[in-house]
Amino acid sequence: KVSSVAKLSAVETAITTATNHKQRQRPSGAKPAVNFVVVGHVDAGKSTLMGHMLYLLGCVNKKTVMKYKQEAQKMGKSSFYYAWILDETDEERTRGVTMDIARACFETENRKYHILDAPGHRDFIPNMITGASQSDAALLVICATRGEFESGFDLGGQTREHALLIRALGVSHIVVAVNKMDTIDWGKDRFDEIDAILRTFLVRQAGFTKTTFVPVSGISGENLVQPLPASHPCRKWYNGPTLIEALEQLPAAERPENMPLRIVVNDVLKSTANVLGLSAKVEAGHIEFGDKVFLMPRADLATVKGVCIDDHTGAAPPTMASKSEVCFAGDQILITLAGNFENEAITAGNVICRGGLDCLVPCKRFTVRIVVFDVPIPVIRGTKAELFAHSLCAPCTVKMLKCTLDKATGEVLKEKPRCLPKNSTALVVLETDTPVNLEAYSKCKPLGRISLRANGITIAAGIIDTAHTEVNAAL
Ligand code: GDP
């Protein structure tokens, strides 16, 4: 009791203490960044396709690729060598508990892309959620080979689950790479068949607003970066974009640089009673040396002693920010804070914000719009689950089923349902055991996307409609 009163007053202090900061603009000329997550059934060819694309874009040198080719041949896995490129660039994956996904970057003339390659296995769904909840768009890789698309799409396959999950997390644009076209001789009929089945599902059932289908071969590299030659069999019936062109057509995400500061802590690199070295991601706003900030949910006051973009490529991240620069929404950073900290209390899922009106108020109760997955038992009032959001994981309880909704139109279908069967969309009230750093999706997307897991499976995912703050009422 005592500690909860103390915590409340610390948050109250943060809400009533405006922390000054300079208004900053990201230097012009910086290319807009696009984050996209690569999803699809296992063996659809995700890693091969991305590895090959990175190679064609000049992100990996020929020598490295040749080395992989030889090593792969020695191991009798010669077809896998492009996939290893992504593995090579994924040293960051060892960074903290949440990051078990391969990351890579590439640039075009117009944009900077950050790829998150989510493993396709069922066990990796939590990692995929981490990837999806940081993404502006998704690349869904489908295997065109007869029988394989079907097994990935039908019951038990991950294609549906991945698509529903990323849509539920607010991603509305999807590019579909219809891969392994070489195995079906670039046949139009097969491409059209997949397009018809999948597009209906993606638009009608999952609710994506924009879909682009591109025929490709990850292994040969055809139609990834260079347009197909006029003599190519696919050119008889396909005049659409290459894969990279389809990605270039995705709208660049807004970067909420002038929104209230939100920095999500991904990992604690160094922790003493008065200095913290953190690896973190700026989700909104901007930050620089000397800024006074609060660390939520405990509302510890801290001063920024160093902050820089985290661009290291070594295996182990440095423990402290090596220099100071202004960092903006979208940046992955290293940040050093000075203050009075209770070491164990600072973990992944903490959020750095400013005080006063810009403060993030930790809450326990949320109204959430969720999509229920293919669950064995319907979700009812009292269902207990683990709530995942940004780098946070917290136990929670479903407190109320408000109504079920039509997936496509959002219309109310039924008020106060007794249970939520699989594949339903609904508004529910969730309560966490302790206050957590989440807020409405309309205020800050990355802090408003959640998923729920119980007994080792993902039961639902969605976005926060309202965060119910008790502190405001108390003030
Ligand atoms: P992931 O599990 O989705 O990442 O799939 P991988 O990239 O590991 O590929 C799975 C298998 O499919 C490997 O044997 C690849 O060589 C093969 N593969 C990937 N892309 C293609 C393609 O375009 N054509 C053919 N024929 N095989 C491919």
Side-chain angles (χ1 to χ4, degrees):
K1 253 279 134 6
V2 174
S3 76
S4 83
V5 169
K7 262 182 224 160
L8 197 70
S9 64
V11 173
E12 282 173 358
T13 310
I15 297 170
T16 48
T17 312
T19 46
N20 292 333
H21 65 280
K22 295 195 182 83
Q23 284 303 331
R24 298 278 192 186
Q25 288 294 332
R26 194 188 270 277
S28 62
K31 292 181 187 176
V34 177
N35 296 313
F36 71 90
V37 62
V38 186
V39 298
H41 194 66
V42 60
D43 280 348
K46 298 179 294 296
S47 310
T48 305
L49 186 150
M50 288 318 305
H52 205 148
M53 196 154 92
L54 289 173
Y55 170 63
L56 294 175
L57 288 164
C59 305
V60 205
N61 65 37
K62 202 159 186 167
K63 215 173 120 205
T64 313
V65 176
M66 287 306 138
K67 194 180 96 201
Y68 286 155
K69 192 168 181 175
Q70 280 172 357
E71 284 172 11
Q73 267 163 356
K74 263 191 225 147
M75 290 175 65
K77 286 193 152 196
S78 53
S79 69
F80 274 94
Y81 67 98
Y82 282 119
W84 289 4
I85 293 175
L86 217 59
D87 289 339
E88 195 227 18
T89 47
D90 77 358
E91 281 143 348
E92 280 185 334
R93 80 160 63 175
T94 47
R95 190 85 63 78
V97 279
T98 54
M99 296 297 162
D100 212 0
I101 38 178
R103 290 161 175 273
C105 301
F106 65 87
E107 270 183 51
T108 61
E109 224 172 90
N110 312 313
R111 289 177 174 181
K112 209 170 171 172
Y113 290 87
H114 298 274
I115 316 164
L116 303 147
D117 181 28
H121 298 274
R122 192 165 279 283
D123 298 350
F124 288 108
I125 291 272
N127 302 321
M128 216 202 81
I129 291 172
T130 310
S133 48
Q134 293 169 16
S135 296
D136 308 312
L139 174 66
L140 171 63
V141 181
I142 294 295
C143 173
T145 312
R146 205 157 277 288
E148 286 198 33
F149 162 69
E150 285 73 11
S151 65
F153 186 65
D154 292 337
L155 219 61
Q158 280 111 55
T159 310
R160 275 171 201 268
E161 190 177 3
H162 285 187
L164 287 171
L165 181 64
I166 50 186
R167 182 65 198 106
L169 291 169
V171 175
S172 59
H173 290 75
I174 192 162
V175 172
V176 181
V178 182
N179 192 30
K180 305 199 191 179
M181 285 295 290
D182 54 290
T183 64
I184 52 149
D185 299 326
W186 297 85
K188 176 181 189 312
D189 292 351
R190 179 63 173 159
F191 180 84
D192 288 347
E193 181 187 353
I194 292 173
D195 183 318
I197 298 171
L198 199 56
R199 200 184 291 268
T200 310
F201 167 74
L202 292 175
V203 176
R204 296 256 177 81
Q205 272 176 279
F208 284 95
T209 47
K210 189 164 164 45
T211 55
T212 313
F213 283 66
V214 187
V216 295
S217 168
I219 204 123
S220 71
E222 285 160 295
N223 212 28
L224 297 184
V225 175
Q226 291 297 331
L228 295 168
S231 58
H232 196 280
C234 190
R235 282 294 292 274
K236 287 201 193 91
W237 54 270
Y238 183 78
N239 250 330
T242 59
L243 189 58
I244 192 79
E245 282 167 351
L247 295 173
E248 292 276 270
Q249 288 164 8
L250 290 169
E254 305 158 32
R255 289 282 161 239
E257 288 158 16
N258 300 319
M259 304 281 281
L261 179 72
R262 300 288 183 259
I263 300 177
V264 170
V265 174
N266 287 326
D267 204 0
V268 180
L269 306 171
K270 183 189 165 79
S271 161
T272 68
N274 42 29
V275 177
L276 279 177
L278 305 170
S279 146
K281 171 136 189 257
V282 188
E283 297 291 4
H286 52 84
I287 182 106
E288 63 190 298
F289 176 86
D291 279 0
K292 292 246 183 299
V293 292
F294 288 95
L295 241 123
M296 292 298 173
R298 289 174 41 85
D300 291 328
L301 180 63
T303 308
V304 180
K305 288 294 172 195
V307 57
C308 65
I309 294 200
D310 179 6
D311 52 8
H312 92 282
T313 46
T319 55
M320 304 286 259
S322 54
K323 53 186 175 188
S324 266
E325 55 192 342
V326 189
C327 292
F328 294 92
D331 292 342
Q332 191 73 44
I333 60 166
L334 294 171
I335 182 166
T336 309
L337 297 176
N340 283 318
F341 307 110
E342 208 173 288
N343 300 10
E344 299 82 57
I346 314 294
T347 57
N350 275 205
V351 170
I352 298 167
C353 64
R354 301 189 202 279
L357 289 175
D358 283 357
C359 192
L360 166 72
V361 184
C363 297
K364 285 173 67 179
R365 268 177 101 86
F366 305 92
T367 301
V368 187
R369 182 189 159 128
I370 56 167
V371 173
V372 178
F373 289 170
D374 203 353
V375 285
I377 317 164
V379 174
I380 54 169
R381 197 172 64 141
T383 295
K384 293 210 177 287
E386 278 175 310
L387 184 155
F388 286 84
H390 52 87
S391 52
L392 177 91
C393 168
C396 77
T397 310
V398 177
K399 283 283 171 186
M400 194 196 298
L401 308 180
K402 290 184 100 153
C403 58
T404 52
L405 302 167
D406 182 284
K407 240 183 213 98
T409 63
E411 247 172 82
V412 174
L413 296 178
K414 187 170 185 200
E415 300 274 2
K416 298 202 178 112
R418 292 188 50 179
C419 68
L420 303 177
K422 60 183 174 191
N423 302 326
S424 53
T425 297
L427 270 185
V428 301
V429 176
L430 298 179
E431 191 172 289
T432 50
D433 298 357
T434 55
V436 290
N437 297 315
L438 296 173
E439 61 189 341
Y441 183 74
S442 58
K443 273 197 179 165
C444 180
K445 287 183 184 181
L447 267 57
R449 290 165 157 177
I450 65 123
S451 61
L452 298 177
R453 287 175 59 85
N455 303 321
I457 61 164
T458 308
I459 56 169
I463 54 180
I464 296 177
D465 185 74
T466 325
H468 303 276
T469 59
E470 285 152 31
V471 182
N472 280 348
L475 276 177

PDB file of all heavy atoms in Angstrom, residues 40-49 79-80 83 117 141 179-183 216-220, ligand 1:
ATOM      1  N   GLY A  40       5.841 -14.646 -43.362  1.00  0.00           N
ATOM      2  CA  GLY A  40       5.423 -15.705 -44.270  1.00  0.00           C
ATOM      3  C   GLY A  40       5.702 -17.063 -43.666  1.00  0.00           C
ATOM      4  O   GLY A  40       6.427 -17.178 -42.680  1.00  0.00           O
ATOM      5  N   HIS A  41       5.117 -18.070 -44.281  1.00  0.00           N
ATOM      6  CA  HIS A  41       5.265 -19.438 -43.802  1.00  0.00           C
ATOM      7  C   HIS A  41       6.743 -19.841 -43.841  1.00  0.00           C
ATOM      8  O   HIS A  41       7.491 -19.369 -44.694  1.00  0.00           O
ATOM      9  CB  HIS A  41       4.445 -20.353 -44.706  1.00  0.00           C
ATOM     10  CG  HIS A  41       4.236 -21.712 -44.150  1.00  0.00           C
ATOM     11  ND1 HIS A  41       3.490 -21.933 -43.016  1.00  0.00           N
ATOM     12  CD2 HIS A  41       4.676 -22.919 -44.556  1.00  0.00           C
ATOM     13  CE1 HIS A  41       3.484 -23.223 -42.760  1.00  0.00           C
ATOM     14  NE2 HIS A  41       4.187 -23.843 -43.683  1.00  0.00           N
ATOM     15  N   VAL A  42       7.127 -20.728 -42.928  1.00  0.00           N
ATOM     16  CA  VAL A  42       8.511 -21.196 -42.924  1.00  0.00           C
ATOM     17  C   VAL A  42       8.830 -21.851 -44.273  1.00  0.00           C
ATOM     18  O   VAL A  42       7.972 -22.510 -44.867  1.00  0.00           O
ATOM     19  CB  VAL A  42       8.745 -22.148 -41.718  1.00  0.00           C
ATOM     20  CG1 VAL A  42       7.841 -23.370 -41.782  1.00  0.00           C
ATOM     21  CG2 VAL A  42      10.185 -22.575 -41.618  1.00  0.00           C
ATOM     22  N   ASP A  43      10.028 -21.581 -44.781  1.00  0.00           N
ATOM     23  CA  ASP A  43      10.487 -22.108 -46.075  1.00  0.00           C
ATOM     24  C   ASP A  43       9.862 -21.436 -47.294  1.00  0.00           C
ATOM     25  O   ASP A  43      10.066 -21.879 -48.422  1.00  0.00           O
ATOM     26  CB  ASP A  43      10.259 -23.632 -46.203  1.00  0.00           C
ATOM     27  CG  ASP A  43      11.339 -24.410 -45.479  1.00  0.00           C
ATOM     28  OD1 ASP A  43      12.349 -23.782 -45.089  1.00  0.00           O
ATOM     29  OD2 ASP A  43      11.174 -25.625 -45.291  1.00  0.00           O
ATOM     30  N   ALA A  44       9.115 -20.373 -47.091  1.00  0.00           N
ATOM     31  CA  ALA A  44       8.572 -19.642 -48.241  1.00  0.00           C
ATOM     32  C   ALA A  44       9.704 -18.981 -49.027  1.00  0.00           C
ATOM     33  O   ALA A  44       9.540 -18.609 -50.187  1.00  0.00           O
ATOM     34  CB  ALA A  44       7.569 -18.593 -47.783  1.00  0.00           C
ATOM     35  N   GLY A  45      10.860 -18.822 -48.355  1.00  0.00           N
ATOM     36  CA  GLY A  45      12.028 -18.241 -49.027  1.00  0.00           C
ATOM     37  C   GLY A  45      12.320 -16.820 -48.587  1.00  0.00           C
ATOM     38  O   GLY A  45      12.963 -16.053 -49.302  1.00  0.00           O
ATOM     39  N   LYS A  46      11.893 -16.454 -47.382  1.00  0.00           N
ATOM     40  CA  LYS A  46      12.070 -15.088 -46.893  1.00  0.00           C
ATOM     41  C   LYS A  46      13.537 -14.675 -46.825  1.00  0.00           C
ATOM     42  O   LYS A  46      13.927 -13.637 -47.339  1.00  0.00           O
ATOM     43  CB  LYS A  46      11.447 -14.929 -45.502  1.00  0.00           C
ATOM     44  CG  LYS A  46       9.965 -15.172 -45.463  1.00  0.00           C
ATOM     45  CD  LYS A  46       9.399 -15.024 -44.073  1.00  0.00           C
ATOM     46  CE  LYS A  46       9.882 -16.070 -43.092  1.00  0.00           C
ATOM     47  NZ  LYS A  46       9.484 -17.442 -43.430  1.00  0.00           N
ATOM     48  N   SER A  47      14.347 -15.524 -46.165  1.00  0.00           N
ATOM     49  CA  SER A  47      15.753 -15.151 -45.967  1.00  0.00           C
ATOM     50  C   SER A  47      16.495 -15.121 -47.293  1.00  0.00           C
ATOM     51  O   SER A  47      17.301 -14.216 -47.538  1.00  0.00           O
ATOM     52  CB  SER A  47      16.439 -16.128 -45.027  1.00  0.00           C
ATOM     53  OG  SER A  47      15.668 -16.282 -43.870  1.00  0.00           O
ATOM     54  N   THR A  48      16.221 -16.103 -48.153  1.00  0.00           N
ATOM     55  CA  THR A  48      16.888 -16.150 -49.452  1.00  0.00           C
ATOM     56  C   THR A  48      16.564 -14.892 -50.247  1.00  0.00           C
ATOM     57  O   THR A  48      17.443 -14.223 -50.793  1.00  0.00           O
ATOM     58  CB  THR A  48      16.413 -17.397 -50.234  1.00  0.00           C
ATOM     59  OG1 THR A  48      16.651 -18.552 -49.424  1.00  0.00           O
ATOM     60  CG2 THR A  48      17.129 -17.533 -51.562  1.00  0.00           C
ATOM     61  N   LEU A  49      15.295 -14.554 -50.260  1.00  0.00           N
ATOM     62  CA  LEU A  49      14.851 -13.390 -51.027  1.00  0.00           C
ATOM     63  C   LEU A  49      15.475 -12.096 -50.494  1.00  0.00           C
ATOM     64  O   LEU A  49      16.015 -11.294 -51.255  1.00  0.00           O
ATOM     65  CB  LEU A  49      13.325 -13.343 -50.944  1.00  0.00           C
ATOM     66  CG  LEU A  49      12.593 -12.304 -51.771  1.00  0.00           C
ATOM     67  CD1 LEU A  49      11.232 -12.836 -52.157  1.00  0.00           C
ATOM     68  CD2 LEU A  49      12.415 -11.033 -51.013  1.00  0.00           C
ATOM     69  N   SER A  79      21.815 -24.331 -51.548  1.00  0.00           N
ATOM     70  CA  SER A  79      20.763 -23.376 -51.895  1.00  0.00           C
ATOM     71  C   SER A  79      20.538 -22.337 -50.795  1.00  0.00           C
ATOM     72  O   SER A  79      19.733 -21.434 -50.947  1.00  0.00           O
ATOM     73  CB  SER A  79      19.463 -24.118 -52.193  1.00  0.00           C
ATOM     74  OG  SER A  79      18.960 -24.683 -51.008  1.00  0.00           O
ATOM     75  N   PHE A  80      21.227 -22.474 -49.691  1.00  0.00           N
ATOM     76  CA  PHE A  80      20.938 -21.580 -48.569  1.00  0.00           C
ATOM     77  C   PHE A  80      21.842 -20.352 -48.458  1.00  0.00           C
ATOM     78  O   PHE A  80      21.693 -19.574 -47.557  1.00  0.00           O
ATOM     79  CB  PHE A  80      21.013 -22.346 -47.246  1.00  0.00           C
ATOM     80  CG  PHE A  80      19.724 -23.029 -46.903  1.00  0.00           C
ATOM     81  CD1 PHE A  80      19.500 -24.351 -47.239  1.00  0.00           C
ATOM     82  CD2 PHE A  80      18.712 -22.338 -46.250  1.00  0.00           C
ATOM     83  CE1 PHE A  80      18.300 -24.969 -46.930  1.00  0.00           C
ATOM     84  CE2 PHE A  80      17.510 -22.950 -45.942  1.00  0.00           C
ATOM     85  CZ  PHE A  80      17.306 -24.272 -46.281  1.00  0.00           C
ATOM     86  N   ALA A  83      20.522 -16.874 -47.891  1.00  0.00           N
ATOM     87  CA  ALA A  83      19.855 -16.722 -46.597  1.00  0.00           C
ATOM     88  C   ALA A  83      20.856 -16.328 -45.514  1.00  0.00           C
ATOM     89  O   ALA A  83      20.517 -15.636 -44.568  1.00  0.00           O
ATOM     90  CB  ALA A  83      19.143 -18.014 -46.225  1.00  0.00           C
ATOM     91  N   ASP A 117      13.361  -9.236 -40.131  1.00  0.00           N
ATOM     92  CA  ASP A 117      13.027 -10.545 -40.688  1.00  0.00           C
ATOM     93  C   ASP A 117      12.560 -11.419 -39.539  1.00  0.00           C
ATOM     94  O   ASP A 117      13.336 -11.809 -38.678  1.00  0.00           O
ATOM     95  CB  ASP A 117      14.258 -11.141 -41.374  1.00  0.00           C
ATOM     96  CG  ASP A 117      13.960 -12.497 -41.987  1.00  0.00           C
ATOM     97  OD1 ASP A 117      12.809 -12.742 -42.351  1.00  0.00           O
ATOM     98  OD2 ASP A 117      14.898 -13.297 -42.103  1.00  0.00           O
ATOM     99  N   VAL A 141       5.892 -13.018 -47.849  1.00  0.00           N
ATOM    100  CA  VAL A 141       6.490 -13.884 -48.859  1.00  0.00           C
ATOM    101  C   VAL A 141       5.671 -15.168 -48.946  1.00  0.00           C
ATOM    102  O   VAL A 141       5.423 -15.837 -47.944  1.00  0.00           O
ATOM    103  CB  VAL A 141       7.970 -14.191 -48.534  1.00  0.00           C
ATOM    104  CG1 VAL A 141       8.590 -15.068 -49.616  1.00  0.00           C
ATOM    105  CG2 VAL A 141       8.763 -12.900 -48.387  1.00  0.00           C
ATOM    106  N   ASN A 179       6.782 -15.813 -54.458  1.00  0.00           N
ATOM    107  CA  ASN A 179       8.163 -16.280 -54.648  1.00  0.00           C
ATOM    108  C   ASN A 179       8.218 -17.670 -55.293  1.00  0.00           C
ATOM    109  O   ASN A 179       7.198 -18.350 -55.396  1.00  0.00           O
ATOM    110  CB  ASN A 179       8.846 -16.316 -53.269  1.00  0.00           C
ATOM    111  CG  ASN A 179      10.336 -16.502 -53.359  1.00  0.00           C
ATOM    112  OD1 ASN A 179      10.981 -16.087 -54.317  1.00  0.00           O
ATOM    113  ND2 ASN A 179      10.908 -17.159 -52.350  1.00  0.00           N
ATOM    114  N   LYS A 180       9.411 -18.049 -55.671  1.00  0.00           N
ATOM    115  CA  LYS A 180       9.684 -19.355 -56.304  1.00  0.00           C
ATOM    116  C   LYS A 180       8.898 -19.496 -57.602  1.00  0.00           C
ATOM    117  O   LYS A 180       8.440 -20.593 -57.949  1.00  0.00           O
ATOM    118  CB  LYS A 180       9.379 -20.513 -55.343  1.00  0.00           C
ATOM    119  CG  LYS A 180      10.110 -20.410 -53.991  1.00  0.00           C
ATOM    120  CD  LYS A 180      10.170 -21.716 -53.261  1.00  0.00           C
ATOM    121  CE  LYS A 180      10.644 -21.529 -51.818  1.00  0.00           C
ATOM    122  NZ  LYS A 180      10.710 -22.751 -51.042  1.00  0.00           N
ATOM    123  N   MET A 181       8.712 -18.394 -58.321  1.00  0.00           N
ATOM    124  CA  MET A 181       8.015 -18.430 -59.603  1.00  0.00           C
ATOM    125  C   MET A 181       8.760 -19.322 -60.603  1.00  0.00           C
ATOM    126  O   MET A 181       8.164 -19.830 -61.541  1.00  0.00           O
ATOM    127  CB  MET A 181       7.863 -17.009 -60.170  1.00  0.00           C
ATOM    128  CG  MET A 181       6.804 -16.161 -59.487  1.00  0.00           C
ATOM    129  SD  MET A 181       5.109 -16.767 -59.687  1.00  0.00           S
ATOM    130  CE  MET A 181       4.790 -16.469 -61.423  1.00  0.00           C
ATOM    131  N   ASP A 182      10.076 -19.485 -60.374  1.00  0.00           N
ATOM    132  CA  ASP A 182      10.862 -20.362 -61.264  1.00  0.00           C
ATOM    133  C   ASP A 182      10.368 -21.809 -61.195  1.00  0.00           C
ATOM    134  O   ASP A 182      10.466 -22.547 -62.168  1.00  0.00           O
ATOM    135  CB  ASP A 182      12.353 -20.292 -60.894  1.00  0.00           C
ATOM    136  CG  ASP A 182      12.590 -20.600 -59.414  1.00  0.00           C
ATOM    137  OD1 ASP A 182      12.204 -19.772 -58.574  1.00  0.00           O
ATOM    138  OD2 ASP A 182      13.135 -21.676 -59.093  1.00  0.00           O
ATOM    139  N   THR A 183       9.780 -22.210 -60.075  1.00  0.00           N
ATOM    140  CA  THR A 183       9.348 -23.608 -59.942  1.00  0.00           C
ATOM    141  C   THR A 183       8.049 -23.874 -60.708  1.00  0.00           C
ATOM    142  O   THR A 183       7.627 -25.007 -60.850  1.00  0.00           O
ATOM    143  CB  THR A 183       9.125 -24.011 -58.465  1.00  0.00           C
ATOM    144  OG1 THR A 183       8.046 -23.227 -57.939  1.00  0.00           O
ATOM    145  CG2 THR A 183      10.354 -23.795 -57.620  1.00  0.00           C
ATOM    146  N   VAL A 216       8.221 -13.087 -58.181  1.00  0.00           N
ATOM    147  CA  VAL A 216       9.684 -13.012 -58.043  1.00  0.00           C
ATOM    148  C   VAL A 216      10.292 -14.410 -57.908  1.00  0.00           C
ATOM    149  O   VAL A 216       9.582 -15.394 -57.671  1.00  0.00           O
ATOM    150  CB  VAL A 216      10.119 -12.212 -56.782  1.00  0.00           C
ATOM    151  CG1 VAL A 216       9.722 -10.758 -56.869  1.00  0.00           C
ATOM    152  CG2 VAL A 216       9.566 -12.841 -55.516  1.00  0.00           C
ATOM    153  N   SER A 217      11.612 -14.445 -58.032  1.00  0.00           N
ATOM    154  CA  SER A 217      12.348 -15.639 -57.631  1.00  0.00           C
ATOM    155  C   SER A 217      13.504 -15.186 -56.759  1.00  0.00           C
ATOM    156  O   SER A 217      14.407 -14.490 -57.228  1.00  0.00           O
ATOM    157  CB  SER A 217      12.883 -16.402 -58.845  1.00  0.00           C
ATOM    158  OG  SER A 217      13.810 -17.362 -58.394  1.00  0.00           O
ATOM    159  N   GLY A 218      13.447 -15.550 -55.504  1.00  0.00           N
ATOM    160  CA  GLY A 218      14.483 -15.147 -54.560  1.00  0.00           C
ATOM    161  C   GLY A 218      15.809 -15.785 -54.913  1.00  0.00           C
ATOM    162  O   GLY A 218      16.870 -15.191 -54.734  1.00  0.00           O
ATOM    163  N   ILE A 219      15.765 -16.991 -55.414  1.00  0.00           N
ATOM    164  CA  ILE A 219      17.011 -17.705 -55.658  1.00  0.00           C
ATOM    165  C   ILE A 219      17.721 -17.185 -56.898  1.00  0.00           C
ATOM    166  O   ILE A 219      18.927 -16.998 -56.893  1.00  0.00           O
ATOM    167  CB  ILE A 219      16.767 -19.239 -55.704  1.00  0.00           C
ATOM    168  CG1 ILE A 219      18.058 -19.981 -55.370  1.00  0.00           C
ATOM    169  CG2 ILE A 219      16.223 -19.734 -57.022  1.00  0.00           C
ATOM    170  CD1 ILE A 219      17.894 -20.896 -54.203  1.00  0.00           C
ATOM    171  N   SER A 220      16.976 -16.895 -57.971  1.00  0.00           N
ATOM    172  CA  SER A 220      17.628 -16.388 -59.177  1.00  0.00           C
ATOM    173  C   SER A 220      17.743 -14.867 -59.132  1.00  0.00           C
ATOM    174  O   SER A 220      18.510 -14.278 -59.888  1.00  0.00           O
ATOM    175  CB  SER A 220      16.845 -16.803 -60.421  1.00  0.00           C
ATOM    176  OG  SER A 220      15.630 -16.075 -60.471  1.00  0.00           O
TER     177      SER A 220
HETATM  178  P1  GDP B   1      12.524 -19.009 -45.024  1.00  0.00           P
HETATM  179  O1  GDP B   1      12.316 -20.098 -44.015  1.00  0.00           O
HETATM  180  O2  GDP B   1      11.201 -18.436 -45.460  1.00  0.00           O
HETATM  181  O3  GDP B   1      13.485 -17.941 -44.608  1.00  0.00           O
HETATM  182  O4  GDP B   1      13.102 -19.723 -46.351  1.00  0.00           O
HETATM  183  P2  GDP B   1      14.606 -19.854 -46.867  1.00  0.00           P
HETATM  184  O5  GDP B   1      15.069 -18.569 -47.437  1.00  0.00           O
HETATM  185  O6  GDP B   1      15.438 -20.474 -45.817  1.00  0.00           O
HETATM  186  O7  GDP B   1      14.377 -20.854 -48.094  1.00  0.00           O
HETATM  187  C1  GDP B   1      13.842 -22.140 -47.964  1.00  0.00           C
HETATM  188  C2  GDP B   1      14.236 -23.002 -49.153  1.00  0.00           C
HETATM  189  O8  GDP B   1      13.622 -22.506 -50.360  1.00  0.00           O
HETATM  190  C3  GDP B   1      15.736 -23.009 -49.430  1.00  0.00           C
HETATM  191  O9  GDP B   1      16.116 -24.300 -49.833  1.00  0.00           O
HETATM  192  C4  GDP B   1      15.879 -22.023 -50.576  1.00  0.00           C
HETATM  193  O10 GDP B   1      16.999 -22.277 -51.372  1.00  0.00           O
HETATM  194  C5  GDP B   1      14.603 -22.267 -51.352  1.00  0.00           C
HETATM  195  N1  GDP B   1      14.209 -21.091 -52.136  1.00  0.00           N
HETATM  196  C6  GDP B   1      14.098 -19.809 -51.699  1.00  0.00           C
HETATM  197  N2  GDP B   1      13.703 -18.992 -52.696  1.00  0.00           N
HETATM  198  C7  GDP B   1      13.552 -19.763 -53.784  1.00  0.00           C
HETATM  199  C8  GDP B   1      13.154 -19.486 -55.152  1.00  0.00           C
HETATM  200  O11 GDP B   1      12.861 -18.372 -55.551  1.00  0.00           O
HETATM  201  N3  GDP B   1      13.112 -20.566 -55.998  1.00  0.00           N
HETATM  202  C9  GDP B   1      13.438 -21.828 -55.603  1.00  0.00           C
HETATM  203  N4  GDP B   1      13.383 -22.793 -56.508  1.00  0.00           N
HETATM  204  N5  GDP B   1      13.809 -22.116 -54.344  1.00  0.00           N
HETATM  205  C10 GDP B   1      13.883 -21.093 -53.444  1.00  0.00           C
END
